[in-house]
Amino acid sequence: MVSKINQHLYFLSLIIAIVFGFALIRSADGQYLVGVGSYDMTGPAAGINMMGYANLFQNTAGIHFRLRARTFIVAESSNGTRFAFVNLDAGMASQLVTTKVLEKLKTRFGNLYTEENIAISGIHTHAGPGGYLQYLIYSITSLGFVQQSFDAIVTAIVQSIVQAHNNLKPGSIFIRKGDVENAGINRSPSAYLLNPAEERARYPENVDKEMTLLKFVDAASGKSIGAFNWYATHGTSMSRDNLLISGDNKGAAARFFEDWFSSKNESSSTTTNIGKLMEKSKTIKATGGQQCGKTTSQGFKVRKNDGSLFVGAFCQSNVGDVTPNVLGAFCIDSGKPCDFNHSSCHGDDQLCIGRGPGYPDEILSTKIIGERQFQKAVDLFNSATDQLSGKIDYRHVYINFTNIEVVLDGTGNNTVKTCPAALGPGFAAGTTDGPGVFGFQQGDTEINKLWKQLRDVLKKPSQYQEECQKPKAVLLSSGEMFEPYAWAPAVLPIQILRLGKLIILSVPGEFTTMAGRRLREAVKDTLINNGNGEFDNDTHIVIAGLTNAYSQYIATFEEYAHQRYEAASTLYGPHTLPAYIQEFKKLAQAMAKGEKTTKGPSPPDLSSVQLSLSLNPTGDSPPAGKMFGDIKEDINQPKDGSFNKGDRPSATFWSANPRYDLLTEGTYAVVEMLQGKRWIPVYDDDDFSLYFKWSLENTSFHGLATIEWEVPTKAIPGVYRLRHFGSSKKAVNSTNHYFTGASSAFTVS
């Protein structure tokens, strides 16, 4: 009997030793469970209005590089407290997207991931397909709701979270901060100057230059698995005239970072006989169109998403008044700087345009601003040694922002209220990144008689609204407009995530530089004053802009008086920022004291009432005697027989509308290199150097796909060709037919 007891005690002590030993390993080598994931979220690449500039004529016509959802998850243990942060290559988050993502996650994970511990944030590219937000004001130019755009985003978010969840393993997280130089300037400096002089004197610049980076390291292997950073600059390097889907400068930075980590496309040091290559390439002709399978293009991807890839994300922050067009704004008629107070030229807002560092080449500007962020991220990544430890926590609440009572002086004697949403004439003027409607200027506080009459046809603002919004003149009382459904949000989410000493503030809009500074400072003070020593000056606050929902801009009270674009787009009146600060302080206090929060009023789900006026493709066919994938215009071979670095070989194929299949995690375009007797894919439509363009032929209206490759400096000399993939339907309800075709070969020296 005694021996059996001793035997049981031995096994019990062994189990305890193993468990305790594992705990020690986790404590020493991996403070948390960490996981990262990524998934293709590229939407329809033809005929869908882009979200951002509200330009009715800016409709997708191809892909510069693909859009992705990138996720990290951190957890204290397999069943412990956790949160997920998702970074979208999209203009902004959408309340309806968030709602549907949560529904799908609930069916898979139960209550493990909820609205409280998931943050979905947009990088604010203005070059992604629109039609995925539920409030009418955001879908007018997209002609309503676009189901295909919406589904692509929802699916990508869910799949990236699933991938990150499945990848959870013990790991360490390191944090590092540093300034990004010359990647953003203030586009509304006259408004910034209205903030108190003593407040401005505390900061060296009128924009925040700091980037905060997290580095995720697998405890078992010691290898890095991902990195996420936050830095504020607009996704407007690509202009309102661009028609190619693009993640803009932040999407580009992510592509550069991930490729840098994987050391993709390193140049070969071997010598090459160019003469023999040219002779070889002359014998290889275009393949003609061929049938293929639905997933064939996935096999031609250069980066195959098997869950093992390094994930690098460049997240947005308090971006409201920060432009990447760092050369400044100039009049396109005279070349002189624009008017300082109104960003116009001779009273015309249409003539004042910001210039990026690659001006007049917007793609070069995108690359330069992306590289400046990427290079700083590499510097921070390589020098990150400050390991995070401590508690994971979160707080989340929904608030009706249209009637918040805000206490201004702390005594309760001076209270004000927010207003129903409204937009002023400065909103219609647009910005130096993308001018708006002729006849408006930033800073306008009056509306002419004609525009008032047109406004009143839609909805005449109530007297209460006009008084509440002053000094903003109400051009569009979107918060009082409910036909055919709500034009603007009323209920919004705010959220705080905690990862040790790092605090992430999820905000559903674009805070200006000074507005973000005030919010960060207020939250930090609240945590320190209520945390019983748990928080101190080392507590670091970052703002995750455009997260979980979208409600346009948040300017300071002083900036609001100027009514430039950001102030005119501050929906809930002059006290919008104090309302945010007040409500975030409540969340911070609850977190510091370990108290729960009430959920608040749920936002509506308007999916059942969405209007959709955009037309689906109705069936395509190639010209008589041709097949999809056949060449229309083959490679224009150079006179000396070989392309050089920087040249742009291109080929045009007969093709069908890319909306028939998004080729998710696949590709419409490939650069293949001949290696021995095999063609190997070396670039695809997720590369910055490769362009997929779709159009209709001018006379016959048959579809055309043009693939254009800007030969990178790292390209290896050799024989190449361009390949196209696509899908077609002969009628609306028919099945998809998949096709491919390749150009003649050519030589790169």
Side-chain angles (χ1 to χ4, degrees), residues 115-116 395-399 401 491-496 583-584 586-587 597-601:
E115 61 201 1
E116 294 189 11
R395 293 293 185 277
H396 176 284
V397 68
Y398 288 114
I399 302 167
F401 265 81
V491 175
L492 294 170
I494 63 171
Q495 180 186 52
I496 301 180
E583 300 306 315
F584 262 105
K586 292 177 183 177
L587 274 191
T597 55
T598 57
K599 177 181 176 179

Side-chain angles (χ1 to χ4, degrees), residues 44-61:
I48 296 301
N49 192 251
M50 289 182 169
M51 181 62 197
Y53 287 116
N55 176 9
L56 189 61
F57 304 104
Q58 189 187 17
N59 297 320
T60 56

Side-chain angles (χ1 to χ4, degrees), residues 450-461 481:
L450 175 61
W451 281 110
K452 279 187 177 181
Q453 290 173 342
L454 292 173
R455 174 200 69 184
D456 292 349
V457 170
L458 289 172
K459 173 67 178 180
K460 185 176 182 179
M481 301 169 71

Side-chain angles (χ1 to χ4, degrees), residues 45 60 125 143 157 188 190 209 300 350 392 426 517 557 603 714:
T60 56
T125 175
L143 303 181
I157 295 169
S188 292
S190 60
K209 298 168 68 174
F300 285 73
Q350 301 280 299
I392 292 174
R517 290 168 175 170
F557 180 81
K714 292 184 178 181

